[in-house]
Amino acid sequence: MSTLKSIWDHPYTFWALLSLPAIPMILGLTSGDPDAVKNVLHPSGEFAARFMIITMMITPLMMLFRNSSWPRWMMKRRRHLGVAAFLYALAHTVLYLIDEGAVAFTSSEISKLYIWTGWLAFLIFVPLAITSTDGWVRKLGRNWKTLQQFVYGAAVLTLVHWAALHDWGGVGPALVHFMPLVLLEIYRVSSTRARRRQRAAA
């Protein structure tokens, strides 16, 4: 049992789990299908959003299930999830550039709501991913948490990016994915305010 537990708790095991969605994407890209890039484009973006959402849900889940061990297990792996979200977002961006080619840099393309919101969300992700190492956490100190707050802006931009796809045809799937996060964030904010009122009244 101890051997199985050590394997389960090993970071490489968690990274292997996070890599599973990439397997069918890689198989699709190497299948020879002329539409392979287009077919993989949306799944890569969806998993980037999903891992970002899960990452952001961990703190409110810790508050909601404070007596459970599984949120703490997730908290220890939160940075892994965040980096995985960035890597899928990077893959999504590269696939988009391959699919669109030079058109991706034209003003008519960049001016589209679902395009520029996607670019902004990705650009926010870049410094968050770069500073995810222990060395950067120590170097930035308290500023590291301040920097990480920008993920909320990336989340809003990602929601709009997803919802606005195909003349807002993606609004349903986007809301389904983001609604649990919205509800948990409402709980987190209300719970934090309630604790502050209690301390002020004490």
Side-chain angles (χ1 to χ4, degrees):
M1 282 298 290
S2 59
T3 303
L4 288 175
K5 187 177 185 304
S6 62
I7 293 174
W8 176 247
D9 288 337
H10 200 283
Y12 289 158
T13 303
F14 194 61
W15 276 115
L17 292 173
L18 295 175
S19 301
L20 289 178
I23 295 174
M25 298 181 198
I26 294 171
L27 293 175
L29 290 172
T30 56
S31 65
D33 185 347
D35 294 325
V37 172
K38 190 178 296 293
N39 293 335
V40 176
L41 181 60
H42 293 301
S44 61
E46 289 169 4
F47 273 100
R50 287 166 185 159
F51 285 134
M52 178 191 67
I53 290 167
I54 294 171
T55 304
M56 296 178 68
M57 288 171 61
I58 293 175
T59 296
L61 285 172
M62 283 275 293
M63 298 170 64
L64 185 59
F65 300 99
R66 55 176 57 92
N67 294 323
S68 299
S69 60
W70 64 268
R72 291 192 294 273
W73 186 89
M74 292 293 293
M75 179 62 78
K76 292 178 181 178
R77 291 153 180 83
R78 184 169 62 173
R79 272 189 278 167
H80 299 330
L81 279 161
V83 172
F86 168 74
L87 292 175
Y88 280 98
L90 176 61
H92 180 65
T93 304
V94 171
L95 290 169
Y96 162 72
L97 292 174
I98 293 172
D99 186 51
E100 294 293 332
V103 176
F105 300 102
T106 61
S107 58
S108 60
E109 180 73 1
I110 295 175
S111 63
K112 295 175 182 176
L113 178 63
Y114 69 90
I115 295 297
W116 66 259
T117 50
W119 274 114
L120 280 179
F122 177 72
L123 291 174
I124 291 173
F125 263 132
V126 173
L128 300 184
I130 291 174
T131 57
S132 63
T133 63
D134 290 337
W136 273 106
V137 173
R138 289 192 297 269
K139 186 175 181 178
L140 292 175
R142 293 182 179 178
N143 292 327
W144 184 82
K145 286 190 175 182
T146 302
L147 178 63
Q148 294 299 309
Q149 297 299 313
F150 282 96
V151 73
Y152 291 100
V156 173
L157 289 165
T158 302
L159 173 59
V160 176
H161 169 69
W162 194 346
L165 283 172
H166 310 301
D167 296 324
W168 295 93
V171 66
L175 290 177
V176 167
H177 281 78
F178 277 87
M179 192 54 64
L181 174 61
V182 171
L183 294 175
L184 281 170
E185 285 297 327
I186 291 172
Y187 164 77
R188 181 183 69 83
V189 171
S190 61
S191 180
T192 300
R193 287 179 176 175
R195 286 203 304 271
R196 287 174 180 171
R197 286 195 297 268
Q198 289 175 356
R199 286 198 296 265

mmCIF file of all heavy atoms in Angstrom, residues 143-168:
data_model
loop_
_atom_site.group_PDB
_atom_site.id
_atom_site.type_symbol
_atom_site.label_atom_id
_atom_site.label_comp_id
_atom_site.label_asym_id
_atom_site.label_seq_id
_atom_site.Cartn_x
_atom_site.Cartn_y
_atom_site.Cartn_z
ATOM 1 N N ASN A 143 4.411 39.682 -3.562
ATOM 2 C CA ASN A 143 3.992 40.131 -4.887
ATOM 3 C C ASN A 143 3.544 38.970 -5.769
ATOM 4 O O ASN A 143 2.821 39.185 -6.747
ATOM 5 C CB ASN A 143 5.125 40.894 -5.587
ATOM 6 C CG ASN A 143 5.423 42.212 -4.909
ATOM 7 O OD1 ASN A 143 4.526 42.860 -4.377
ATOM 8 N ND2 ASN A 143 6.680 42.621 -4.920
ATOM 9 N N TRP A 144 3.992 37.751 -5.432
ATOM 10 C CA TRP A 144 3.607 36.589 -6.243
ATOM 11 C C TRP A 144 2.101 36.391 -6.193
ATOM 12 O O TRP A 144 1.470 36.166 -7.231
ATOM 13 C CB TRP A 144 4.326 35.338 -5.744
ATOM 14 C CG TRP A 144 4.047 34.140 -6.604
ATOM 15 C CD1 TRP A 144 4.654 33.823 -7.782
ATOM 16 C CD2 TRP A 144 3.079 33.106 -6.361
ATOM 17 N NE1 TRP A 144 4.130 32.653 -8.289
ATOM 18 C CE2 TRP A 144 3.165 32.193 -7.440
ATOM 19 C CE3 TRP A 144 2.165 32.867 -5.341
ATOM 20 C CZ2 TRP A 144 2.361 31.058 -7.527
ATOM 21 C CZ3 TRP A 144 1.364 31.743 -5.424
ATOM 22 C CH2 TRP A 144 1.464 30.846 -6.503
ATOM 23 N N LYS A 145 1.510 36.492 -5.002
ATOM 24 C CA LYS A 145 0.061 36.326 -4.883
ATOM 25 C C LYS A 145 -0.679 37.453 -5.600
ATOM 26 O O LYS A 145 -1.731 37.236 -6.191
ATOM 27 C CB LYS A 145 -0.357 36.266 -3.410
ATOM 28 C CG LYS A 145 -0.001 34.957 -2.725
ATOM 29 C CD LYS A 145 -0.639 34.852 -1.353
ATOM 30 C CE LYS A 145 -0.372 33.485 -0.733
ATOM 31 N NZ LYS A 145 -1.022 33.349 0.595
ATOM 32 N N THR A 146 -0.122 38.659 -5.538
ATOM 33 C CA THR A 146 -0.738 39.779 -6.246
ATOM 34 C C THR A 146 -0.748 39.521 -7.750
ATOM 35 O O THR A 146 -1.760 39.756 -8.431
ATOM 36 C CB THR A 146 0.024 41.081 -5.958
ATOM 37 O OG1 THR A 146 0.026 41.324 -4.545
ATOM 38 C CG2 THR A 146 -0.619 42.262 -6.673
ATOM 39 N N LEU A 147 0.369 39.010 -8.267
ATOM 40 C CA LEU A 147 0.455 38.685 -9.692
ATOM 41 C C LEU A 147 -0.563 37.618 -10.073
ATOM 42 O O LEU A 147 -1.208 37.700 -11.122
ATOM 43 C CB LEU A 147 1.869 38.214 -10.027
ATOM 44 C CG LEU A 147 2.123 37.785 -11.478
ATOM 45 C CD1 LEU A 147 1.924 38.965 -12.430
ATOM 46 C CD2 LEU A 147 3.526 37.215 -11.622
ATOM 47 N N GLN A 148 -0.719 36.623 -9.203
ATOM 48 C CA GLN A 148 -1.638 35.528 -9.504
ATOM 49 C C GLN A 148 -3.098 35.987 -9.569
ATOM 50 O O GLN A 148 -3.935 35.301 -10.168
ATOM 51 C CB GLN A 148 -1.491 34.418 -8.456
ATOM 52 C CG GLN A 148 -0.146 33.715 -8.467
ATOM 53 C CD GLN A 148 0.146 33.026 -9.778
ATOM 54 O OE1 GLN A 148 -0.657 32.259 -10.280
ATOM 55 N NE2 GLN A 148 1.313 33.306 -10.349
ATOM 56 N N GLN A 149 -3.398 37.140 -8.982
ATOM 57 C CA GLN A 149 -4.774 37.638 -9.025
ATOM 58 C C GLN A 149 -5.216 37.980 -10.449
ATOM 59 O O GLN A 149 -6.411 38.044 -10.739
ATOM 60 C CB GLN A 149 -4.911 38.890 -8.137
ATOM 61 C CG GLN A 149 -4.656 38.637 -6.655
ATOM 62 C CD GLN A 149 -5.633 37.641 -6.051
ATOM 63 O OE1 GLN A 149 -6.839 37.737 -6.261
ATOM 64 N NE2 GLN A 149 -5.099 36.690 -5.310
ATOM 65 N N PHE A 150 -4.254 38.181 -11.339
ATOM 66 C CA PHE A 150 -4.594 38.488 -12.733
ATOM 67 C C PHE A 150 -5.302 37.322 -13.415
ATOM 68 O O PHE A 150 -5.877 37.492 -14.491
ATOM 69 C CB PHE A 150 -3.338 38.875 -13.506
ATOM 70 C CG PHE A 150 -2.869 40.271 -13.239
ATOM 71 C CD1 PHE A 150 -1.880 40.521 -12.298
ATOM 72 C CD2 PHE A 150 -3.425 41.352 -13.915
ATOM 73 C CE1 PHE A 150 -1.450 41.814 -12.044
ATOM 74 C CE2 PHE A 150 -3.000 42.652 -13.667
ATOM 75 C CZ PHE A 150 -2.017 42.884 -12.724
ATOM 76 N N VAL A 151 -5.243 36.143 -12.799
ATOM 77 C CA VAL A 151 -5.929 34.991 -13.390
ATOM 78 C C VAL A 151 -7.433 35.226 -13.477
ATOM 79 O O VAL A 151 -8.110 34.677 -14.356
ATOM 80 C CB VAL A 151 -5.631 33.700 -12.591
ATOM 81 C CG1 VAL A 151 -6.371 33.685 -11.249
ATOM 82 C CG2 VAL A 151 -6.003 32.460 -13.413
ATOM 83 N N TYR A 152 -7.969 36.075 -12.590
ATOM 84 C CA TYR A 152 -9.403 36.376 -12.651
ATOM 85 C C TYR A 152 -9.735 37.139 -13.933
ATOM 86 O O TYR A 152 -10.770 36.901 -14.556
ATOM 87 C CB TYR A 152 -9.825 37.178 -11.422
ATOM 88 C CG TYR A 152 -9.791 36.377 -10.145
ATOM 89 C CD1 TYR A 152 -8.712 36.482 -9.264
ATOM 90 C CD2 TYR A 152 -10.820 35.488 -9.834
ATOM 91 C CE1 TYR A 152 -8.667 35.725 -8.098
ATOM 92 C CE2 TYR A 152 -10.789 34.748 -8.666
ATOM 93 C CZ TYR A 152 -9.704 34.856 -7.805
ATOM 94 O OH TYR A 152 -9.666 34.111 -6.654
ATOM 95 N N GLY A 153 -8.844 38.042 -14.327
ATOM 96 C CA GLY A 153 -9.033 38.727 -15.596
ATOM 97 C C GLY A 153 -8.959 37.771 -16.763
ATOM 98 O O GLY A 153 -9.758 37.851 -17.713
ATOM 99 N N ALA A 154 -8.004 36.828 -16.693
ATOM 100 C CA ALA A 154 -7.880 35.822 -17.750
ATOM 101 C C ALA A 154 -9.127 34.958 -17.819
ATOM 102 O O ALA A 154 -9.568 34.570 -18.914
ATOM 103 C CB ALA A 154 -6.647 34.958 -17.498
ATOM 104 N N ALA A 155 -9.717 34.658 -16.662
ATOM 105 C CA ALA A 155 -10.924 33.825 -16.630
ATOM 106 C C ALA A 155 -12.094 34.531 -17.307
ATOM 107 O O ALA A 155 -12.834 33.925 -18.092
ATOM 108 C CB ALA A 155 -11.285 33.475 -15.192
ATOM 109 N N VAL A 156 -12.265 35.815 -17.023
ATOM 110 C CA VAL A 156 -13.353 36.583 -17.648
ATOM 111 C C VAL A 156 -13.147 36.660 -19.160
ATOM 112 O O VAL A 156 -14.087 36.462 -19.943
ATOM 113 C CB VAL A 156 -13.433 37.993 -17.041
ATOM 114 C CG1 VAL A 156 -14.443 38.849 -17.810
ATOM 115 C CG2 VAL A 156 -13.824 37.922 -15.571
ATOM 116 N N LEU A 157 -11.919 36.919 -19.579
ATOM 117 C CA LEU A 157 -11.613 36.999 -21.010
ATOM 118 C C LEU A 157 -11.832 35.654 -21.696
ATOM 119 O O LEU A 157 -12.335 35.591 -22.827
ATOM 120 C CB LEU A 157 -10.173 37.461 -21.208
ATOM 121 C CG LEU A 157 -9.891 38.925 -20.860
ATOM 122 C CD1 LEU A 157 -8.390 39.175 -20.750
ATOM 123 C CD2 LEU A 157 -10.500 39.849 -21.905
ATOM 124 N N THR A 158 -11.459 34.572 -21.002
ATOM 125 C CA THR A 158 -11.666 33.232 -21.558
ATOM 126 C C THR A 158 -13.146 32.925 -21.700
ATOM 127 O O THR A 158 -13.578 32.325 -22.696
ATOM 128 C CB THR A 158 -10.992 32.175 -20.665
ATOM 129 O OG1 THR A 158 -9.595 32.463 -20.561
ATOM 130 C CG2 THR A 158 -11.169 30.776 -21.247
ATOM 131 N N LEU A 159 -13.928 33.327 -20.714
ATOM 132 C CA LEU A 159 -15.380 33.128 -20.782
ATOM 133 C C LEU A 159 -15.966 33.849 -21.999
ATOM 134 O O LEU A 159 -16.757 33.261 -22.755
ATOM 135 C CB LEU A 159 -16.031 33.630 -19.492
ATOM 136 C CG LEU A 159 -17.573 33.645 -19.462
ATOM 137 C CD1 LEU A 159 -18.140 32.260 -19.686
ATOM 138 C CD2 LEU A 159 -18.066 34.219 -18.143
ATOM 139 N N VAL A 160 -15.579 35.101 -22.190
ATOM 140 C CA VAL A 160 -16.084 35.863 -23.336
ATOM 141 C C VAL A 160 -15.582 35.254 -24.646
ATOM 142 O O VAL A 160 -16.336 35.118 -25.621
ATOM 143 C CB VAL A 160 -15.656 37.341 -23.230
ATOM 144 C CG1 VAL A 160 -16.088 38.119 -24.475
ATOM 145 C CG2 VAL A 160 -16.243 37.978 -21.981
ATOM 146 N N HIS A 161 -14.304 34.866 -24.675
ATOM 147 C CA HIS A 161 -13.705 34.243 -25.859
ATOM 148 C C HIS A 161 -14.482 33.000 -26.270
ATOM 149 O O HIS A 161 -14.822 32.829 -27.450
ATOM 150 C CB HIS A 161 -12.251 33.872 -25.542
ATOM 151 C CG HIS A 161 -11.595 32.998 -26.567
ATOM 152 N ND1 HIS A 161 -11.271 33.440 -27.830
ATOM 153 C CD2 HIS A 161 -11.191 31.694 -26.505
ATOM 154 C CE1 HIS A 161 -10.697 32.454 -28.510
ATOM 155 N NE2 HIS A 161 -10.651 31.394 -27.729
ATOM 156 N N TRP A 162 -14.782 32.155 -25.309
ATOM 157 C CA TRP A 162 -15.502 30.913 -25.582
ATOM 158 C C TRP A 162 -16.957 31.207 -25.958
ATOM 159 O O TRP A 162 -17.487 30.652 -26.925
ATOM 160 C CB TRP A 162 -15.432 30.024 -24.347
ATOM 161 C CG TRP A 162 -15.831 28.599 -24.563
ATOM 162 C CD1 TRP A 162 -16.493 28.073 -25.643
ATOM 163 C CD2 TRP A 162 -15.583 27.507 -23.688
ATOM 164 N NE1 TRP A 162 -16.682 26.727 -25.486
ATOM 165 C CE2 TRP A 162 -16.131 26.353 -24.290
ATOM 166 C CE3 TRP A 162 -14.967 27.386 -22.445
ATOM 167 C CZ2 TRP A 162 -16.070 25.095 -23.692
ATOM 168 C CZ3 TRP A 162 -14.910 26.140 -21.851
ATOM 169 C CH2 TRP A 162 -15.449 25.008 -22.466
ATOM 170 N N ALA A 163 -17.606 32.071 -25.206
ATOM 171 C CA ALA A 163 -19.025 32.344 -25.440
ATOM 172 C C ALA A 163 -19.262 33.014 -26.792
ATOM 173 O O ALA A 163 -20.275 32.750 -27.454
ATOM 174 C CB ALA A 163 -19.575 33.220 -24.324
ATOM 175 N N ALA A 164 -18.340 33.879 -27.218
ATOM 176 C CA ALA A 164 -18.538 34.656 -28.439
ATOM 177 C C ALA A 164 -18.218 33.885 -29.716
ATOM 178 O O ALA A 164 -18.440 34.397 -30.813
ATOM 179 C CB ALA A 164 -17.693 35.925 -28.384
ATOM 180 N N LEU A 165 -17.691 32.665 -29.578
ATOM 181 C CA LEU A 165 -17.374 31.875 -30.761
ATOM 182 C C LEU A 165 -18.613 31.634 -31.610
ATOM 183 O O LEU A 165 -19.690 31.347 -31.090
ATOM 184 C CB LEU A 165 -16.772 30.523 -30.339
ATOM 185 C CG LEU A 165 -15.303 30.536 -29.894
ATOM 186 C CD1 LEU A 165 -14.932 29.185 -29.321
ATOM 187 C CD2 LEU A 165 -14.395 30.896 -31.051
ATOM 188 N N HIS A 166 -18.432 31.733 -32.926
ATOM 189 C CA HIS A 166 -19.510 31.441 -33.880
ATOM 190 C C HIS A 166 -20.776 32.242 -33.558
ATOM 191 O O HIS A 166 -21.845 31.674 -33.368
ATOM 192 C CB HIS A 166 -19.824 29.943 -33.894
ATOM 193 C CG HIS A 166 -18.609 29.083 -34.052
ATOM 194 N ND1 HIS A 166 -17.761 29.167 -35.136
ATOM 195 C CD2 HIS A 166 -18.087 28.121 -33.249
ATOM 196 C CE1 HIS A 166 -16.775 28.286 -34.995
ATOM 197 N NE2 HIS A 166 -16.948 27.641 -33.876
ATOM 198 N N ASP A 167 -20.613 33.570 -33.473
ATOM 199 C CA ASP A 167 -21.765 34.439 -33.208
ATOM 200 C C ASP A 167 -22.483 34.045 -31.919
ATOM 201 O O ASP A 167 -23.706 33.902 -31.884
ATOM 202 C CB ASP A 167 -22.737 34.423 -34.388
ATOM 203 C CG ASP A 167 -22.128 34.995 -35.648
ATOM 204 O OD1 ASP A 167 -21.339 35.959 -35.534
ATOM 205 O OD2 ASP A 167 -22.412 34.476 -36.739
ATOM 206 N N TRP A 168 -21.697 33.873 -30.864
ATOM 207 C CA TRP A 168 -22.186 33.534 -29.523
ATOM 208 C C TRP A 168 -22.786 32.129 -29.452
ATOM 209 O O TRP A 168 -23.525 31.804 -28.532
ATOM 210 C CB TRP A 168 -23.200 34.564 -29.018
ATOM 211 C CG TRP A 168 -22.551 35.901 -28.845
ATOM 212 C CD1 TRP A 168 -22.503 36.907 -29.772
ATOM 213 C CD2 TRP A 168 -21.795 36.374 -27.722
ATOM 214 N NE1 TRP A 168 -21.773 37.974 -29.296
ATOM 215 C CE2 TRP A 168 -21.337 37.682 -28.031
ATOM 216 C CE3 TRP A 168 -21.478 35.812 -26.483
ATOM 217 C CZ2 TRP A 168 -20.567 38.425 -27.155
ATOM 218 C CZ3 TRP A 168 -20.723 36.563 -25.600
ATOM 219 C CH2 TRP A 168 -20.277 37.852 -25.935
#
